[in-house]
Amino acid sequence: MKALRGITWPYAVIALVAVAAAAFGLLRPQLTPTAATAKKKLSATDRVKRNPPPALFTDGQIAPIGRQADAQRQKADALFAEWKKAHGTTRDDKAFAAWAAGQVPAPPTVKQRTAQLHEVQALARTRTAAGRKAATWLELDGKKDIWKLYLHDQRELIPTQRGKAEKAQLKAALKLAKTISDQVAARDRQPAPFVLDPTLRPEKHIAAGAKGPYSYPSRHATRAAAAVTYLSALSPHRAEDYRWMRDEVLYSRLYMAGHVSGDLTAGTLLGDLIGDYELAVTGH
């Protein structure tokens, strides 16, 4: 199943069974947790098993934004080399966050953002029920859970202590991605496409004259790129699968007008920097 690309047995088997069961309504009782299970914090694996992925977007659909994201990799590596030369590999999240925020390019000009908004508006006219379903899953599980699940899959084959360390490192990278992307968004104050054109997401109920939510850079893109950079260093042979999921997440944000393409490429650059940083300070 394409939606499970890169997740090996037994998780793919479990998820396939879950999809089949859902089709026959067998999972309905699980959707309403009991008082006992409600108190237990579900793991990323459990959350994805409860809400397995639908059919996602095709390779042809996600390829253009994927190529734009790939183009940020070399830029990020060159920029991070400057940080490493000046600061070495000692962890200093506060100093790095301030530096990384300064590496995010200036937001697109009004003319550029208008052109990118027109692209999102055109894409919105092609939406289907299946596409909405895919985008909804990617918006929810593409934040953190899918990346944690990929790492969990790797951890089955390595010593326990190393697995725990890598879990903590991925968590740190994802947290830093949220922190810095939110700081830059608050600084640059670029309205999301559905704020500029409320007809793109009428269910958001944007008030007249609203300025936010702000969308530059994309938090989803930042987290995805940080995770892909980190995970790919651990398992280079699976890097293609990780990039594929990154591209799915990015495309979903265009599809549902959460971002324009410039938001996504800026987020990817920032996330690649964060991934490089986490790898450097942890000795990978």
Side-chain angles (χ1 to χ4, degrees):
M1 182 177 178
K2 193 61 173 291
L4 300 172
R5 183 171 172 176
I7 300 177
T8 56
W9 186 92
Y11 307 107
V13 175
I14 292 171
L16 285 170
V17 172
V19 172
F24 290 95
L26 298 179
L27 290 182
R28 289 180 183 174
Q30 298 180 23
L31 298 179
T32 305
T34 64
T37 58
K39 294 180 180 179
K40 180 183 177 182
K41 186 176 180 180
L42 295 176
S43 68
T45 303
D46 290 334
R47 285 191 293 270
V48 174
K49 283 165 62 178
R50 284 192 173 197
N51 180 33
L56 300 185
F57 298 106
T58 67
D59 287 355
Q61 287 174 296
I62 67 176
I65 192 61
R67 286 191 291 269
Q68 292 180 48
D70 286 341
Q72 307 309 307
R73 173 75 269 163
Q74 190 172 1
K75 297 177 186 177
D77 288 346
L79 287 170
F80 185 73
E82 297 176 7
W83 164 269
K84 188 174 179 181
K85 183 178 180 180
H87 298 271
T89 57
T90 301
R91 181 181 287 279
D92 187 343
D93 290 357
K94 184 176 181 180
F96 173 77
W99 174 83
Q103 308 313 306
V104 177
T109 64
V110 172
K111 183 178 180 179
Q112 290 170 330
R113 198 163 182 86
T114 299
Q116 292 173 4
L117 176 62
H118 289 164
E119 294 172 354
V120 171
Q121 291 168 327
L123 182 60
R125 291 192 287 270
T126 71
R127 289 178 189 160
T128 64
R132 287 176 179 273
K133 188 174 183 180
T136 298
W137 187 89
L138 288 159
E139 181 174 358
L140 177 64
D141 289 275
K143 288 179 181 178
K144 295 186 291 185
D145 286 351
I146 192 62
W147 311 115
K148 291 180 178 180
L149 182 55
Y150 275 130
L151 182 62
H152 184 281
D153 196 31
Q154 290 186 22
R155 287 168 52 209
E156 295 295 289
L157 302 175
I158 61 177
T160 301
Q161 286 305 114
R162 177 183 161 192
K164 288 181 178 180
E166 291 176 355
K167 179 180 179 181
Q169 291 159 15
L170 177 62
K171 182 178 179 180
L174 293 171
K175 181 179 179 180
L176 198 55
K178 179 183 183 301
T179 297
I180 305 175
S181 59
D182 286 355
Q183 289 174 351
V184 178
R187 180 193 72 192
D188 291 342
R189 301 170 68 87
Q190 298 294 300
F194 63 79
V195 175
L196 297 172
D197 179 0
T199 66
L200 292 169
R201 295 289 296 273
E203 75 279 9
K204 293 288 189 180
H205 305 294
I206 300 299
K211 300 297 182 182
Y214 302 121
S215 67
Y216 182 88
S218 163
R219 185 192 296 171
H220 274 79
T222 307
R223 280 174 162 167
V228 169
T229 298
Y230 178 76
L231 292 170
S232 295
L234 302 186
S235 295
H237 61 289
R238 298 180 64 185
E240 182 181 352
D241 292 331
Y242 303 144
R243 288 195 300 271
W244 170 78
M245 182 56 74
R246 176 204 65 189
D247 299 348
E248 288 282 349
V249 172
L250 268 56
Y251 182 78
S252 75
R253 308 306 292 137
L254 290 175
Y255 191 85
M256 293 306 295
H259 295 282
V260 295
S261 58
D263 301 338
L264 299 172
T265 53
T268 302
L269 175 67
L270 178 57
D272 285 341
L273 286 173
I274 293 167
D276 282 343
Y277 171 75
E278 191 62 35
L279 290 168
V281 300
T282 55
H284 287 290

